């Protein structure tokens, strides 16, 4: 049986849809989320087959959330929206399906039947290229009971360690649920190390070290390592050449 996650900022809407899904007997609801940031975390943790996703949510919309997902591993997405036909036409090519609020049981049944048929035909996930390739304009970060949206132009570097993925801007540091791969693919940040991405625009200097290694000093004096594998590319990106 397919598994589902419901993401909607309205509690009543989440509960009602989850109940409707349960009543069909065709899908298992394994979780819900009240906003896109929590939703992103639960998608990464629970790995649902399908996400029922509201569009209009505060801070990060459903469309923006979709652009933050890795197109190679993202679940099938069904928009659940109160928008009219104009909005639907803009989104219908970028998701498996859409449902209008209030969700009609017969329409929901058809969607679930199509989802099950799609699952039976192929185990591979669909590719949502129209949305998935959009560049991020900010990185959503969480911590200390708050959500931060850090603009890409303020980000100096991003790195990963055992505790997660961390974003350093010229003003603050925070953690994100996005992977380094997603950030590399969907931002202007450049890979300089297996565990680091850096903004070319925030490089103050490059120090050449022994054994072909190097390190970047950012405008805010952060130190970022460069491995031999990526040194040539970084130098070319800033116009130094090989």
């Amino acid at each position: 049986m397919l598994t589902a996650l419901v993401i909607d900022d309205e509690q009543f809407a989440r509960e009602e849809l989850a109940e409707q899904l349960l009543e069909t007997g065709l899908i298992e609801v394994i979780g819900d989320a009240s906003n896109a940031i929590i939703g992103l975390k639960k998608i990464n943790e629970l790995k649902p087959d399908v996400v029922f996703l509201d569009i209009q949510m505060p801070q990060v919309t459903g469309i923006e959330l979709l652009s933050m997902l890795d197109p190679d591993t993202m679940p099938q997405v069904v928009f659940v929206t109160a928008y009219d036909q104009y909005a639907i036409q803009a989104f219908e090519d970028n998701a498996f399906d859409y449902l209008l609020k209030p969700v009609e049981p017969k329409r929901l049944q058809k969607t679930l039947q199509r989802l099950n048929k799609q699952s039976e035909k192929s185990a591979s996930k669909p590719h949502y290229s129209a949305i998935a390739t959009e560049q991020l304009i900010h990185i959503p970060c969480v911590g200390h009971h708050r959500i931060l949206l850090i603009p890409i132009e303020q980000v100096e570097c991003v790195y990963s360690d055992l505790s997660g993925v961390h974003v350093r801007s010229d003003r603050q540091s925070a953690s994100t649920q996005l992977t380094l791969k997603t950030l590399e693919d969907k931002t202007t940040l450049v890979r300089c190390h297996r565990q680091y991405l850096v903004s070319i625009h925030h490089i103050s200097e490059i120090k050449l070290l022994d054994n072909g290694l190097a390190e970047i000093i950012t405008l805010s004096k952060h130190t970022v390592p460069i491995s031999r594998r990526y040194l040539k590319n970084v130098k070319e990106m800033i116009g130094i050449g090989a």
Side-chain angles (χ1 to χ4, degrees):
M1 182 180 292
L2 295 176
T3 58
L5 179 70
V6 178
I7 304 176
D8 196 308
D9 63 308
E10 298 180 2
Q11 182 178 351
F12 176 77
R14 293 197 308 275
E15 293 175 350
E16 184 178 37
L17 181 55
E19 185 175 344
Q20 284 183 275
L21 291 168
L22 180 63
E23 289 175 352
T24 67
L26 297 174
I27 196 165
E28 178 187 3
V29 179
I30 58 175
D32 62 41
S34 59
N35 61 57
I37 304 302
I38 296 174
L40 177 61
K41 182 178 181 180
K42 289 197 173 184
I43 289 172
N44 292 334
E45 290 176 350
L46 302 177
K47 300 185 180 352
D49 298 309
V50 188
V51 173
F52 289 85
L53 180 62
D54 186 23
I55 293 174
Q56 191 63 34
M57 293 185 290
Q59 295 186 302
V60 178
T61 69
I63 297 295
E64 291 173 321
L65 170 59
L66 214 57
S67 73
M68 296 173 185
L69 301 176
D70 185 342
D72 295 330
T73 59
M74 65 189 293
Q76 295 174 340
V77 174
V78 176
F79 282 124
V80 184
T81 175
Y83 285 126
D84 59 15
Q85 186 64 31
Y86 174 80
I88 291 171
Q89 289 175 349
F91 304 139
E92 62 184 353
D93 292 334
N94 304 317
F96 183 85
D97 203 356
Y98 63 87
L99 298 169
L100 278 177
K101 295 179 179 179
V103 178
E104 297 180 359
K106 289 184 178 179
R107 181 69 176 82
L108 178 60
Q109 190 84 9
K110 288 182 179 179
T111 297
L112 296 181
Q113 289 172 350
R114 290 180 57 229
L115 283 165
N116 277 287
K117 286 181 180 179
Q118 173 76 19
S119 179
E120 292 172 359
K121 287 180 180 179
S122 174
S124 61
K125 302 293 185 182
H127 182 69
Y128 304 97
S129 57
I131 286 182
T133 56
E134 286 186 2
Q135 292 290 291
L136 300 179
I137 60 174
H138 53 238
I139 300 177
C141 299
V142 294
H144 303 294
H145 305 290
R146 61 177 181 162
I147 296 172
L148 301 175
L149 300 177
I150 301 179
I152 290 296
E153 63 268 18
Q154 294 179 11
V155 175
E156 292 199 333
C157 68
V158 179
Y159 67 96
S160 65
D161 59 22
L162 292 177
S163 64
V165 177
H166 312 283
V167 181
R168 282 180 176 168
S169 76
D170 52 2
R171 303 175 185 177
Q172 59 193 325
S173 297
S175 298
T176 181
Q177 292 294 318
L178 300 184
T179 64
L180 285 183
K181 181 179 183 299
T182 296
L183 291 169
E184 182 179 16
D185 291 342
K186 298 181 181 180
T187 72
T188 54
L189 299 173
V190 175
R191 178 79 65 169
C192 61
H193 185 278
R194 183 173 58 87
Q195 294 176 273
Y196 281 81
L197 303 176
V198 69
S199 169
I200 295 298
H201 305 293
H202 285 264
I203 294 177
S204 174
E205 63 177 295
I206 296 178
K207 291 184 176 180
L208 301 179
L209 307 175
D210 295 333
N211 301 320
L213 301 176
E215 61 184 21
I216 292 168
I217 307 300
T218 71
L219 295 175
S220 297
K221 306 303 179 183
H222 294 307
T223 300
V224 180
I226 310 179
S227 62
R228 286 187 294 269
R229 177 181 177 185
Y230 299 105
L231 179 57
K232 179 180 178 181
N233 182 58
V234 171
K235 290 169 67 176
E236 289 176 348
M237 290 286 289
I238 62 176
I240 294 178

